[in-house]
Amino acid sequence: MKVQDIIQYLERWAPLAIQEPYDNAGLIIGDKNDESSGGLITLDVTEAVIKEAVQHNCNLIIAHHPLIFNGIKKIGRSSWMDKCINLAIKHDINIYAVHTNLDNVLTGVNDKICDLIGLGERRILLPKPGTLAKLTVFVPPKNKHSLLEALFSSGAGDIGNYDHCTFEVSGLGSFRGNELSNPTLGKKGQTENVKEDRIEVILRKHDADQILKAMKNAHPYEEVAYYLTDLLNENQSYGSGMVGVLPKPLKTTDFFQHLKSVLKLQVIRHTEYCREVVSKVAVCGGSGSFLLEAAKKQNADVFITADFKYHEFFGADDRIIIADVGHYESEVWTKDLLHERLSKVFANFAFRLSRIDTNPIKYL
């Protein structure tokens, strides 16, 4: 199996196009055409993790956090990152990061946290705008069904929990081909008026190239009449954080004990218990303070995330309980998520969970 085979699956699940602009997800070090001898799954890439990969003959490391986050101009041998880069290259280790693109997908990091807590009725906390487009194409009625099948098969027509979604209307189209044309209907140099169906489908913008290719291959016309329009609609399948509901409300003290248990926490930094009972819960793996207002708008009782600064805690304003569980503690479960999905899809390939505790923060 090639590294590219695994990358293709990861990027179908969590497309690079939905990562945040500041991020650096993707193949960080290596060659996608390498044969893969095994995969090691980790939250962070450290020297110890790379040595672990070498020990177990894993030439592919799949990490949540990118080893190289910002641009670098020099690679020495002194910093921890320098040492990691040199060690990975020395041992021909490929390093791939699936970061905010996995945060932003409906079945990603936050969904795993919801699983652990036991939340139902889940939805994206802050849906991502600017990821959808509408394709409008005109086709003769007799070719409509084959064209629609091609569009649906390539990823068009999905809206939330529904697929094969389309709008159609019939009308009259006209055209005239020049001397170089080869019209499917009518004759060159002669204006033709023909019945056509207008088809509209929603698509994810990052799928546009493959959908347009499928459309052109399935369309009978030499020149396909279509247009693609960007939409401002929020995409309910992509976005930051999640919000869900407990099977039954819990007393706040009981909920926090439950949270410590399922996330295996030593400590939780939190604001005052301004709610006696917890029912609706918002979550965001990693640094999620930017979602506080969204959590309040959803009337969540508790917002579980990490990396809140001192003054940001005041933003709870007795309207919500902020529960800062720690960055590592909120995202370490991403390893299990990746292992579960990859082991199921590539049943005959060896994926290992790293045994290295990469948390740089320790508690007394």
Side-chain angles (χ1 to χ4, degrees), residues 12-13 15 105-106 128 131-135 148-167 199-208 210-211 231 233-238:
R12 284 196 303 270
W13 175 23
V105 71
L106 189 62
K128 202 171 184 65
T131 63
L132 296 173
K134 182 180 74 171
L135 172 63
L148 282 172
E149 283 304 313
L151 292 173
F152 296 150
S153 297
S154 60
D158 294 348
I159 302 177
N161 294 322
Y162 298 85
D163 61 11
H164 290 207
C165 302
T166 181
F167 177 79
I199 296 173
E200 296 181 358
V201 290
I202 301 294
L203 55 87
R204 295 173 290 270
K205 288 168 69 172
H206 62 263
D207 290 334
Q210 69 188 39
I211 291 170
L231 299 178
N233 303 47
E234 292 178 337
N235 189 341
Q236 300 298 323
S237 296
Y238 298 142

CSV table of all heavy atoms in Angstrom, one decimal, residues 12-13 15 105-106 128 131-135 148-167 199-208 210-211 231 233-238:
chain,number,residue,atom,x,y,z
A,12,ARG,N,-10.7,12.5,1.8
A,12,ARG,CA,-12.2,12.4,1.5
A,12,ARG,C,-13.0,12.6,2.8
A,12,ARG,O,-14.1,13.2,2.8
A,12,ARG,CB,-12.5,11.0,0.9
A,12,ARG,CG,-12.1,10.8,-0.5
A,12,ARG,CD,-12.7,9.6,-1.1
A,12,ARG,NE,-12.5,8.4,-0.4
A,12,ARG,CZ,-11.5,7.6,-0.6
A,12,ARG,NH1,-10.6,7.9,-1.6
A,12,ARG,NH2,-11.3,6.4,0.1
A,13,TRP,N,-12.5,12.1,3.9
A,13,TRP,CA,-13.2,12.2,5.2
A,13,TRP,C,-13.1,13.7,5.7
A,13,TRP,O,-14.1,14.3,6.1
A,13,TRP,CB,-12.5,11.2,6.2
A,13,TRP,CG,-13.0,11.3,7.6
A,13,TRP,CD1,-14.2,11.8,8.0
A,13,TRP,CD2,-12.3,10.8,8.7
A,13,TRP,NE1,-14.3,11.7,9.4
A,13,TRP,CE2,-13.1,11.1,9.8
A,13,TRP,CE3,-11.1,10.2,8.9
A,13,TRP,CZ2,-12.7,10.7,11.1
A,13,TRP,CZ3,-10.7,9.9,10.2
A,13,TRP,CH2,-11.5,10.1,11.3
A,15,PRO,N,-11.5,16.9,4.2
A,15,PRO,CA,-10.9,17.6,3.0
A,15,PRO,C,-10.0,18.8,3.5
A,15,PRO,O,-10.3,19.5,4.4
A,15,PRO,CB,-12.1,18.2,2.2
A,15,PRO,CG,-13.2,17.4,2.6
A,15,PRO,CD,-13.0,17.0,4.1
A,105,VAL,N,-15.0,18.8,10.5
A,105,VAL,CA,-15.9,17.8,9.9
A,105,VAL,C,-16.9,17.3,10.9
A,105,VAL,O,-16.6,17.1,12.1
A,105,VAL,CB,-15.1,16.7,9.2
A,105,VAL,CG1,-14.5,15.8,10.2
A,105,VAL,CG2,-15.9,16.0,8.1
A,106,LEU,N,-18.1,17.0,10.4
A,106,LEU,CA,-19.2,16.5,11.3
A,106,LEU,C,-18.8,15.3,12.1
A,106,LEU,O,-19.3,15.1,13.2
A,106,LEU,CB,-20.5,16.3,10.5
A,106,LEU,CG,-21.8,16.0,11.2
A,106,LEU,CD1,-22.2,17.2,12.0
A,106,LEU,CD2,-22.9,15.7,10.2
A,128,LYS,N,-19.8,26.4,8.9
A,128,LYS,CA,-18.8,27.2,8.1
A,128,LYS,C,-19.4,27.7,6.8
A,128,LYS,O,-20.0,27.0,6.0
A,128,LYS,CB,-17.6,26.2,7.7
A,128,LYS,CG,-16.3,26.8,7.4
A,128,LYS,CD,-15.3,25.8,7.2
A,128,LYS,CE,-13.9,26.4,7.0
A,128,LYS,NZ,-13.4,27.2,8.1
A,131,THR,N,-18.5,27.5,1.8
A,131,THR,CA,-18.0,26.2,1.3
A,131,THR,C,-18.9,25.5,0.3
A,131,THR,O,-18.6,24.5,-0.2
A,131,THR,CB,-17.8,25.2,2.5
A,131,THR,OG1,-19.1,25.0,3.1
A,131,THR,CG2,-16.9,25.8,3.5
A,132,LEU,N,-20.1,26.2,-0.1
A,132,LEU,CA,-21.0,25.6,-1.0
A,132,LEU,C,-21.2,26.4,-2.2
A,132,LEU,O,-20.9,27.6,-2.3
A,132,LEU,CB,-22.4,25.5,-0.3
A,132,LEU,CG,-22.5,24.6,0.9
A,132,LEU,CD1,-23.9,24.8,1.6
A,132,LEU,CD2,-22.3,23.1,0.5
A,133,ALA,N,-21.6,25.7,-3.3
A,133,ALA,CA,-21.9,26.4,-4.6
A,133,ALA,C,-23.1,25.7,-5.2
A,133,ALA,O,-23.5,24.6,-4.8
A,133,ALA,CB,-20.7,26.3,-5.5
A,134,LYS,N,-23.7,26.4,-6.2
A,134,LYS,CA,-24.8,25.9,-6.9
A,134,LYS,C,-24.4,25.7,-8.4
A,134,LYS,O,-24.0,26.7,-9.0
A,134,LYS,CB,-26.1,26.8,-6.8
A,134,LYS,CG,-27.3,26.2,-7.5
A,134,LYS,CD,-28.5,27.1,-7.4
A,134,LYS,CE,-28.3,28.4,-8.3
A,134,LYS,NZ,-29.6,29.2,-8.3
A,135,LEU,N,-24.7,24.5,-8.9
A,135,LEU,CA,-24.4,24.3,-10.3
A,135,LEU,C,-25.8,24.3,-11.0
A,135,LEU,O,-26.7,23.5,-10.7
A,135,LEU,CB,-23.7,22.9,-10.5
A,135,LEU,CG,-23.6,22.4,-11.9
A,135,LEU,CD1,-22.7,23.3,-12.8
A,135,LEU,CD2,-23.1,21.0,-11.9
A,148,LEU,N,-27.9,13.3,-14.3
A,148,LEU,CA,-28.1,13.4,-12.8
A,148,LEU,C,-27.4,12.3,-12.1
A,148,LEU,O,-26.8,12.6,-11.1
A,148,LEU,CB,-29.6,13.3,-12.5
A,148,LEU,CG,-30.4,14.6,-12.7
A,148,LEU,CD1,-31.9,14.3,-12.5
A,148,LEU,CD2,-30.0,15.7,-11.8
A,149,GLU,N,-27.4,11.1,-12.6
A,149,GLU,CA,-26.6,10.0,-12.0
A,149,GLU,C,-25.2,10.3,-11.9
A,149,GLU,O,-24.5,10.0,-10.9
A,149,GLU,CB,-26.9,8.7,-12.7
A,149,GLU,CG,-28.2,8.1,-12.5
A,149,GLU,CD,-28.5,7.8,-11.0
A,149,GLU,OE1,-27.5,7.3,-10.3
A,149,GLU,OE2,-29.5,8.2,-10.5
A,150,ALA,N,-24.6,10.9,-13.0
A,150,ALA,CA,-23.2,11.3,-13.0
A,150,ALA,C,-22.9,12.4,-12.0
A,150,ALA,O,-21.9,12.3,-11.3
A,150,ALA,CB,-22.8,11.8,-14.4
A,151,LEU,N,-23.8,13.4,-11.9
A,151,LEU,CA,-23.6,14.4,-10.9
A,151,LEU,C,-23.7,13.9,-9.5
A,151,LEU,O,-22.8,14.2,-8.6
A,151,LEU,CB,-24.7,15.5,-11.1
A,151,LEU,CG,-24.6,16.3,-12.3
A,151,LEU,CD1,-25.8,17.2,-12.5
A,151,LEU,CD2,-23.4,17.2,-12.4
A,152,PHE,N,-24.7,13.0,-9.2
A,152,PHE,CA,-24.8,12.5,-7.8
A,152,PHE,C,-23.6,11.6,-7.5
A,152,PHE,O,-23.1,11.6,-6.4
A,152,PHE,CB,-26.1,11.7,-7.7
A,152,PHE,CG,-27.4,12.5,-7.9
A,152,PHE,CD1,-28.5,11.9,-8.4
A,152,PHE,CD2,-27.4,13.8,-7.5
A,152,PHE,CE1,-29.7,12.7,-8.6
A,152,PHE,CE2,-28.6,14.6,-7.7
A,152,PHE,CZ,-29.7,14.0,-8.2
A,153,SER,N,-23.2,10.8,-8.4
A,153,SER,CA,-22.1,9.9,-8.2
A,153,SER,C,-20.8,10.6,-7.9
A,153,SER,O,-19.9,10.1,-7.2
A,153,SER,CB,-21.9,8.9,-9.4
A,153,SER,OG,-23.0,8.1,-9.6
A,154,SER,N,-20.7,11.8,-8.4
A,154,SER,CA,-19.4,12.6,-8.2
A,154,SER,C,-19.5,13.5,-7.0
A,154,SER,O,-18.5,14.2,-6.7
A,154,SER,CB,-19.1,13.4,-9.5
A,154,SER,OG,-20.1,14.3,-9.8
A,155,GLY,N,-20.6,13.5,-6.3
A,155,GLY,CA,-20.7,14.3,-5.0
A,155,GLY,C,-21.7,15.4,-5.0
A,155,GLY,O,-21.8,16.1,-4.0
A,156,ALA,N,-22.4,15.7,-6.1
A,156,ALA,CA,-23.3,16.8,-6.1
A,156,ALA,C,-24.7,16.4,-5.5
A,156,ALA,O,-25.0,15.2,-5.4
A,156,ALA,CB,-23.6,17.3,-7.5
A,157,GLY,N,-25.5,17.3,-5.0
A,157,GLY,CA,-26.8,17.0,-4.6
A,157,GLY,C,-27.0,16.6,-3.1
A,157,GLY,O,-28.0,16.1,-2.8
A,158,ASP,N,-25.9,16.8,-2.3
A,158,ASP,CA,-26.0,16.4,-0.9
A,158,ASP,C,-26.3,17.6,-0.1
A,158,ASP,O,-25.6,18.7,-0.2
A,158,ASP,CB,-24.7,15.8,-0.4
A,158,ASP,CG,-24.3,14.5,-1.1
A,158,ASP,OD1,-25.2,13.9,-1.7
A,158,ASP,OD2,-23.2,14.0,-0.9
A,159,ILE,N,-27.4,17.5,0.7
A,159,ILE,CA,-27.7,18.6,1.7
A,159,ILE,C,-28.0,18.0,3.0
A,159,ILE,O,-29.0,17.3,3.2
A,159,ILE,CB,-29.0,19.4,1.2
A,159,ILE,CG1,-28.7,20.0,-0.2
A,159,ILE,CG2,-29.3,20.5,2.2
A,159,ILE,CD1,-30.0,20.7,-0.8
A,160,GLY,N,-27.1,18.2,4.0
A,160,GLY,CA,-27.3,17.6,5.3
A,160,GLY,C,-27.4,16.1,5.3
A,160,GLY,O,-26.6,15.4,4.7
A,161,ASN,N,-28.6,15.6,5.8
A,161,ASN,CA,-28.8,14.2,5.8
A,161,ASN,C,-29.5,13.7,4.6
A,161,ASN,O,-30.0,12.5,4.6
A,161,ASN,CB,-29.7,13.9,7.1
A,161,ASN,CG,-29.0,14.1,8.4
A,161,ASN,OD1,-27.8,13.9,8.5
A,161,ASN,ND2,-29.7,14.7,9.4
A,162,TYR,N,-29.6,14.5,3.5
A,162,TYR,CA,-30.3,14.1,2.3
A,162,TYR,C,-29.3,14.1,1.1
A,162,TYR,O,-28.3,14.9,1.1
A,162,TYR,CB,-31.4,15.1,2.0
A,162,TYR,CG,-32.5,15.1,3.1
A,162,TYR,CD1,-32.4,15.9,4.2
A,162,TYR,CD2,-33.6,14.3,3.0
A,162,TYR,CE1,-33.3,15.9,5.2
A,162,TYR,CE2,-34.6,14.3,3.9
A,162,TYR,CZ,-34.4,15.1,5.1
A,162,TYR,OH,-35.4,15.1,6.0
A,163,ASP,N,-29.5,13.2,0.2
A,163,ASP,CA,-28.7,13.2,-1.1
A,163,ASP,C,-29.7,13.2,-2.3
A,163,ASP,O,-30.9,13.2,-2.1
A,163,ASP,CB,-27.7,12.1,-1.1
A,163,ASP,CG,-28.3,10.7,-1.0
A,163,ASP,OD1,-29.6,10.6,-1.2
A,163,ASP,OD2,-27.6,9.7,-0.8
A,164,HIS,N,-29.1,13.2,-3.5
A,164,HIS,CA,-29.9,13.3,-4.7
A,164,HIS,C,-30.9,14.4,-4.7
A,164,HIS,O,-32.0,14.4,-5.3
A,164,HIS,CB,-30.7,12.0,-4.9
A,164,HIS,CG,-29.8,10.8,-5.3
A,164,HIS,ND1,-30.2,9.7,-6.0
A,164,HIS,CD2,-28.5,10.6,-5.0
A,164,HIS,CE1,-29.2,8.9,-6.1
A,164,HIS,NE2,-28.1,9.4,-5.5
A,165,CYS,N,-30.4,15.6,-4.1
A,165,CYS,CA,-31.3,16.7,-4.1
A,165,CYS,C,-31.1,17.6,-5.3
A,165,CYS,O,-30.0,17.9,-5.7
A,165,CYS,CB,-31.0,17.6,-2.8
A,165,CYS,SG,-31.1,16.7,-1.3
A,166,THR,N,-32.2,17.9,-6.0
A,166,THR,CA,-32.1,18.7,-7.2
A,166,THR,C,-33.4,19.5,-7.4
A,166,THR,O,-34.4,19.2,-6.8
A,166,THR,CB,-31.9,17.8,-8.4
A,166,THR,OG1,-31.8,18.6,-9.6
A,166,THR,CG2,-33.0,16.8,-8.6
A,167,PHE,N,-33.3,20.5,-8.2
A,167,PHE,CA,-34.5,21.3,-8.7
A,167,PHE,C,-34.4,21.3,-10.2
A,167,PHE,O,-33.4,21.5,-10.8
A,167,PHE,CB,-34.4,22.7,-8.2
A,167,PHE,CG,-35.6,23.5,-8.7
A,167,PHE,CD1,-36.9,23.4,-8.1
A,167,PHE,CD2,-35.4,24.4,-9.7
A,167,PHE,CE1,-37.9,24.2,-8.6
A,167,PHE,CE2,-36.5,25.2,-10.2
A,167,PHE,CZ,-37.8,25.0,-9.7
A,199,ILE,N,-31.4,22.1,-14.7
A,199,ILE,CA,-31.1,21.3,-13.5
A,199,ILE,C,-30.2,22.1,-12.5
A,199,ILE,O,-29.2,22.7,-13.0
A,199,ILE,CB,-30.4,20.0,-13.8
A,199,ILE,CG1,-31.3,19.1,-14.6
A,199,ILE,CG2,-29.9,19.2,-12.5
A,199,ILE,CD1,-30.6,17.8,-15.1
A,200,GLU,N,-30.6,22.2,-11.2
A,200,GLU,CA,-29.8,22.9,-10.2
A,200,GLU,C,-29.5,21.9,-9.1
A,200,GLU,O,-30.3,21.2,-8.6
A,200,GLU,CB,-30.6,24.1,-9.7
A,200,GLU,CG,-30.9,25.1,-10.7
A,200,GLU,CD,-31.6,26.3,-10.1
A,200,GLU,OE1,-31.9,26.3,-8.9
A,200,GLU,OE2,-31.9,27.3,-10.9
A,201,VAL,N,-28.2,21.9,-8.7
A,201,VAL,CA,-27.8,21.0,-7.6
A,201,VAL,C,-26.8,21.8,-6.7
A,201,VAL,O,-26.1,22.7,-7.2
A,201,VAL,CB,-27.1,19.7,-8.1
A,201,VAL,CG1,-28.1,18.8,-8.7
A,201,VAL,CG2,-25.9,20.0,-9.1
A,202,ILE,N,-26.8,21.5,-5.4
A,202,ILE,CA,-25.8,22.1,-4.5
A,202,ILE,C,-24.6,21.2,-4.5
A,202,ILE,O,-24.7,19.9,-4.6
A,202,ILE,CB,-26.4,22.1,-3.1
A,202,ILE,CG1,-27.7,23.0,-3.1
A,202,ILE,CG2,-25.4,22.7,-2.1
A,202,ILE,CD1,-27.5,24.4,-3.4
A,203,LEU,N,-23.4,21.8,-4.3
A,203,LEU,CA,-22.2,21.0,-4.2
A,203,LEU,C,-21.2,21.7,-3.3
A,203,LEU,O,-21.3,22.9,-3.0
A,203,LEU,CB,-21.6,20.8,-5.6
A,203,LEU,CG,-21.3,22.0,-6.5
A,203,LEU,CD1,-19.9,22.6,-6.1
A,203,LEU,CD2,-21.3,21.7,-7.9
A,204,ARG,N,-20.3,20.9,-2.8
A,204,ARG,CA,-19.2,21.4,-2.0
A,204,ARG,C,-18.2,22.0,-2.9
A,204,ARG,O,-17.8,21.3,-3.9
A,204,ARG,CB,-18.6,20.3,-1.1
A,204,ARG,CG,-19.6,19.8,0.0
A,204,ARG,CD,-19.0,18.5,0.7
A,204,ARG,NE,-19.0,17.4,-0.2
A,204,ARG,CZ,-19.9,16.5,-0.3
A,204,ARG,NH1,-21.1,16.7,0.4
A,204,ARG,NH2,-19.8,15.5,-1.2
A,205,LYS,N,-17.7,23.2,-2.6
A,205,LYS,CA,-16.8,23.9,-3.6
A,205,LYS,C,-15.5,23.1,-3.9
A,205,LYS,O,-15.0,23.1,-5.0
A,205,LYS,CB,-16.5,25.3,-3.1
A,205,LYS,CG,-17.7,26.2,-3.2
A,205,LYS,CD,-17.5,27.5,-2.4
A,205,LYS,CE,-16.4,28.4,-3.0
A,205,LYS,NZ,-16.3,29.7,-2.4
A,206,HIS,N,-15.0,22.4,-2.8
A,206,HIS,CA,-13.8,21.6,-3.1
A,206,HIS,C,-14.0,20.4,-4.0
A,206,HIS,O,-13.1,19.8,-4.4
A,206,HIS,CB,-13.1,21.2,-1.8
A,206,HIS,CG,-14.0,20.3,-0.9
A,206,HIS,ND1,-14.8,20.7,0.1
A,206,HIS,CD2,-14.1,19.0,-1.0
A,206,HIS,CE1,-15.4,19.7,0.7
A,206,HIS,NE2,-15.0,18.6,0.0
A,207,ASP,N,-15.3,20.0,-4.2
A,207,ASP,CA,-15.6,18.9,-5.1
A,207,ASP,C,-15.9,19.4,-6.6
A,207,ASP,O,-16.2,18.6,-7.4
A,207,ASP,CB,-16.8,18.2,-4.6
A,207,ASP,CG,-16.6,17.4,-3.4
A,207,ASP,OD1,-15.4,17.0,-3.2
A,207,ASP,OD2,-17.5,17.1,-2.6
A,208,ALA,N,-15.8,20.7,-6.8
A,208,ALA,CA,-16.3,21.3,-8.1
A,208,ALA,C,-15.6,20.7,-9.3
A,208,ALA,O,-16.2,20.4,-10.3
A,208,ALA,CB,-16.1,22.8,-8.0
A,210,GLN,N,-14.1,17.8,-9.8
A,210,GLN,CA,-14.5,16.4,-10.2
A,210,GLN,C,-16.0,16.3,-10.7
A,210,GLN,O,-16.4,15.6,-11.6
A,210,GLN,CB,-14.3,15.4,-9.0
A,210,GLN,CG,-15.3,15.7,-7.8
A,210,GLN,CD,-14.9,14.8,-6.6
A,210,GLN,OE1,-13.7,14.7,-6.3
A,210,GLN,NE2,-15.9,14.3,-5.9
A,211,ILE,N,-16.8,17.2,-10.1
A,211,ILE,CA,-18.3,17.2,-10.5
A,211,ILE,C,-18.4,17.8,-11.9
A,211,ILE,O,-19.1,17.3,-12.7
A,211,ILE,CB,-19.1,18.0,-9.5
A,211,ILE,CG1,-19.2,17.3,-8.2
A,211,ILE,CG2,-20.5,18.3,-10.0
A,211,ILE,CD1,-19.8,18.0,-7.0
A,231,LEU,N,-22.3,30.3,-3.0
A,231,LEU,CA,-23.4,30.5,-2.0
A,231,LEU,C,-22.9,31.0,-0.7
A,231,LEU,O,-21.8,30.6,-0.2
A,231,LEU,CB,-24.2,29.2,-1.9
A,231,LEU,CG,-24.8,28.6,-3.1
A,231,LEU,CD1,-25.5,27.2,-2.7
A,231,LEU,CD2,-25.8,29.5,-3.7
A,233,ASN,N,-24.8,30.3,1.9
A,233,ASN,CA,-25.4,29.4,2.9
A,233,ASN,C,-24.3,28.8,3.8
A,233,ASN,O,-23.2,28.5,3.4
A,233,ASN,CB,-26.1,28.2,2.1
A,233,ASN,CG,-27.1,28.7,1.1
A,233,ASN,OD1,-26.8,29.6,0.3
A,233,ASN,ND2,-28.2,28.1,1.1
A,234,GLU,N,-24.7,28.6,5.1
A,234,GLU,CA,-23.9,27.9,6.0
A,234,GLU,C,-24.0,26.4,5.7
A,234,GLU,O,-25.0,25.8,5.4
A,234,GLU,CB,-24.3,28.1,7.4
A,234,GLU,CG,-24.1,29.5,7.9
A,234,GLU,CD,-24.5,29.8,9.3
A,234,GLU,OE1,-25.4,29.0,9.8
A,234,GLU,OE2,-24.1,30.7,10.0
A,235,ASN,N,-22.8,25.7,5.8
A,235,ASN,CA,-22.8,24.3,5.5
A,235,ASN,C,-22.9,23.5,6.9
A,235,ASN,O,-22.0,23.6,7.7
A,235,ASN,CB,-21.4,23.9,4.9
A,235,ASN,CG,-21.4,22.5,4.4
A,235,ASN,OD1,-22.2,21.6,4.8
A,235,ASN,ND2,-20.5,22.2,3.4
A,236,GLN,N,-24.0,22.8,7.1
A,236,GLN,CA,-24.3,22.2,8.3
A,236,GLN,C,-23.4,21.0,8.6
A,236,GLN,O,-23.4,20.4,9.6
A,236,GLN,CB,-25.8,21.8,8.4
A,236,GLN,CG,-26.7,22.9,8.3
A,236,GLN,CD,-26.6,24.0,9.4
A,236,GLN,OE1,-26.3,23.6,10.6
A,236,GLN,NE2,-26.7,25.2,9.1
A,237,SER,N,-22.6,20.6,7.5
A,237,SER,CA,-21.7,19.4,7.7
A,237,SER,C,-20.3,19.8,8.1
A,237,SER,O,-19.5,18.9,8.5
A,237,SER,CB,-21.7,18.6,6.4
A,237,SER,OG,-23.0,18.1,6.1
A,238,TYR,N,-20.0,21.1,7.9
A,238,TYR,CA,-18.6,21.6,8.2
A,238,TYR,C,-18.7,22.7,9.2
A,238,TYR,O,-19.6,23.6,9.0
A,238,TYR,CB,-17.9,22.0,7.0
A,238,TYR,CG,-17.7,20.9,5.9
A,238,TYR,CD1,-17.8,21.2,4.6
A,238,TYR,CD2,-17.3,19.6,6.3
A,238,TYR,CE1,-17.6,20.2,3.6
A,238,TYR,CE2,-17.1,18.6,5.4
A,238,TYR,CZ,-17.2,18.9,4.0
A,238,TYR,OH,-17.0,17.9,3.1
